[in-house]
């Protein structure tokens, strides 16, 4: 393990004990030992064969275990097709601007730049809500050196990759339309009724990628901003915005995919402006980590929160949320 990664983990443990009683920002850093649902790594596959199942649903894998990838200067690299689920990002969902929930409840700024407070959007009592969202790069597998082949892990350091406080589209539906003009096609009863099939699919396993405008039981993926039109509860709303933010990162080309069942599709990542929902799952980190595995561990995008969200939201210190996003990794190792 690199020295800077060891220092980062030590700092994270320190953050988890810090209390910020002088402001409304609450949270803690993810403890890599106790807060991570390590069973969410599974299934692990080689070719089409499942090596470790783990009881979680899986996407399609390459049919043949041997793969080849173009390589300079030798021309070709021969490897083994592997698939597993990898933690790639932490996501804050908070009512307060610049409240870094997953950084120990650290209040970065208030009123100095960008948004300076709560925006004028519907409150939960009016049937809707609004949250700010932050996206952190969190390549935990790389830091802990769990998989020795660097080709098959997300690399980098902890980094604040996106602050919606600095994004004018995050609280403006008209500006958001520039990012997702296709939303006009799905704002009707027929398109939304199709989302019931997506919701049922998540109960049985994985969401339906062709219904990309649906967020299963959470509601609609559109618009790609922080306004939740139908607020059922904080867990439901924050889960929806975590899924929307993942879609938004795909749409803006900030997150790429490695989907593919045959070479050379698994040799490198590439842009995917329409999110492949089935290749993502999430777990809660704040306020109560869901690290036990099983039904209370990680969940497919669109999976109903009514089965696990009870007692995961409470007044004052339990109304801001943090999630760990996992993504299916398909690659040619070797």
């Amino acid at each position: 393990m690199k020295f800077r990664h060891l220092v980062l983990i030590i700092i994270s443990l320190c953050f988890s004990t810090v209390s910020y009683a002088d402001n409304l920002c609450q949270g803690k850093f993810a403890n890599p030992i106790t807060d991570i649902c390590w069973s969410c790594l599974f299934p692990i596959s080689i070719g089409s064969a499942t090596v470790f199942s783990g009881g979680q649903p899986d996407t399609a894998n390459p049919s043949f275990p041997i793969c080849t990838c173009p390589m300079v200067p030798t021309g070709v690299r021969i490897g083994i097709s592997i698939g597993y689920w990898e933690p790639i990002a932490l996501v804050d969902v908070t009512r307060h601007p610049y409240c870094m929930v997953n950084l120990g409840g650290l209040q970065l700024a208030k009123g100095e730049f960008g948004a300076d407070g709560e925006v004028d959007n519907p409150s939960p009592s009016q049937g809707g809500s609004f949250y700010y969202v932050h996206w952190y790069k969190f390549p935990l597998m790389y830091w802990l050196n769990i998989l020795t082949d660097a080709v098959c892990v997300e690399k980098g350091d902890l980094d604040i990759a996106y602050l919606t406080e600095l994004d004018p589209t995050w609280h403006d539906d008209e500006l958001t339309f520039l990012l997702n003009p296709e939303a006009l096609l799905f704002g009707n009863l027929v398109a939304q009724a199709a989302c019931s099939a997506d919701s049922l699919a998540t109960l049985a396993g994985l969401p339906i990628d062709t219904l990309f405008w649906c967020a299963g039981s959470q509601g609609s993926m559109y618009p790609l901003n922080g306004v939740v039109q139908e607020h059922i509860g904080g867990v439901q709303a924050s889960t929806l915005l975590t899924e929307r933010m993942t879609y938004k990162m795909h749409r803006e080309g900030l997150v790429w995919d490695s989907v593919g069942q045959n070479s050379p599709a698994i040799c490198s990542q590439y842009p995917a402006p329409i999110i492949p929902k089935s290749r993502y799952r999430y777990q809660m980190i704040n306020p109560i980590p869901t690290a036990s595995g099983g039904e209370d561990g990680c969940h497919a995008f669109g999976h109903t929160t009514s089965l696990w969200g009870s007692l995961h939201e409470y007044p004052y210190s339990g109304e801001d949320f943090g999630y760990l996003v996992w993504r299916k990794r398909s690659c040619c190792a070797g």
Side-chain angles (χ1 to χ4, degrees), residues 16 28-37 283-285 289-291 324:
S16 66
K28 68 169 185 172
F29 202 98
N31 185 313
I33 307 301
T34 61
D35 295 345
I36 306 300
C37 177
Q283 70 159 111
M284 178 178 281
I285 295 293
T290 55
L324 177 60

Side-chain angles (χ1 to χ4, degrees), residues 236-313:
Q236 168 266 337
S238 60
T239 299
L240 171 61
L241 291 180
T242 297
E243 296 168 2
R244 278 188 188 174
M245 189 65 190
T246 308
Y247 190 172
K248 181 180 176 70
M249 296 294 283
H250 268 274
R251 175 55 56 91
E252 297 182 3
L254 300 175
V255 171
W256 290 12
D257 192 28
S258 63
V259 67
Q261 297 187 37
N262 296 288
S263 303
I266 61 174
C267 294
S268 62
Q269 297 187 47
Y270 57 89
I274 299 297
I275 182 175
K277 297 184 300 180
S278 63
R279 296 177 64 79
Y280 284 93
R281 58 177 60 151
Y282 66 90
Q283 70 159 111
M284 178 178 281
I285 295 293
N286 278 289
I288 301 175
T290 55
S292 62
E295 295 183 356
D296 195 33
C298 51
H299 312 280
F301 273 30
H303 186 77
T304 178
T305 59
S306 62
L307 297 180
W308 66 269
S310 177
L311 303 179
H312 285 76
E313 176 186 18

Side-chain angles (χ1 to χ4, degrees), residues 132-292:
Y132 299 98
V133 177
H134 312 136
W135 181 280
Y136 311 82
K137 292 179 63 178
F138 195 71
L140 188 58
M141 298 284 286
Y142 175 64
W143 298 343
L144 299 181
N145 200 26
I146 292 177
L147 195 65
T148 57
D149 194 326
V151 175
C152 292
V153 294
E154 191 79 8
K155 295 184 287 293
D157 298 316
L158 178 66
D159 186 20
I160 302 174
Y162 209 102
L163 292 170
T164 57
E165 289 87 340
L166 305 178
D167 181 357
T169 69
W170 190 249
H171 54 79
D172 190 313
D173 287 345
E174 293 181 0
L175 286 177
T176 306
F177 178 74
L178 300 176
L179 185 63
N180 52 246
E182 74 278 7
L184 283 177
L185 302 175
F186 308 115
N188 57 75
L189 292 178
V190 175
Q192 294 305 310
C195 293
S196 60
D198 190 50
S199 179
L200 291 174
T202 62
L203 291 175
L206 299 172
I208 303 173
D209 286 338
T210 53
L211 302 178
F212 58 88
W213 64 93
C214 301
S217 299
Q218 272 65 268
S220 174
M221 282 286 192
Y222 297 117
L224 297 180
N225 62 25
V227 179
V228 179
Q229 300 294 348
E230 298 295 333
H231 180 103
I232 299 174
V235 176
Q236 168 266 337
S238 60
T239 299
L240 171 61
L241 291 180
T242 297
E243 296 168 2
R244 278 188 188 174
M245 189 65 190
T246 308
Y247 190 172
K248 181 180 176 70
M249 296 294 283
H250 268 274
R251 175 55 56 91
E252 297 182 3
L254 300 175
V255 171
W256 290 12
D257 192 28
S258 63
V259 67
Q261 297 187 37
N262 296 288
S263 303
I266 61 174
C267 294
S268 62
Q269 297 187 47
Y270 57 89
I274 299 297
I275 182 175
K277 297 184 300 180
S278 63
R279 296 177 64 79
Y280 284 93
R281 58 177 60 151
Y282 66 90
Q283 70 159 111
M284 178 178 281
I285 295 293
N286 278 289
I288 301 175
T290 55
S292 62

Side-chain angles (χ1 to χ4, degrees), residues 1-11 142-143 157:
M1 185 187 304
K2 295 182 178 180
F3 177 74
R4 67 175 182 272
H5 300 150
L6 178 61
V7 172
L8 178 62
I9 292 174
I10 294 173
I11 292 174
Y142 175 64
W143 298 343
D157 298 316

Side-chain angles (χ1 to χ4, degrees), residues 321-332:
F321 304 90
Y323 293 91
L324 177 60
V325 176
W326 298 72
R327 182 180 61 189
K328 174 64 179 290
R329 183 81 170 197
S330 300
C331 74
C332 185

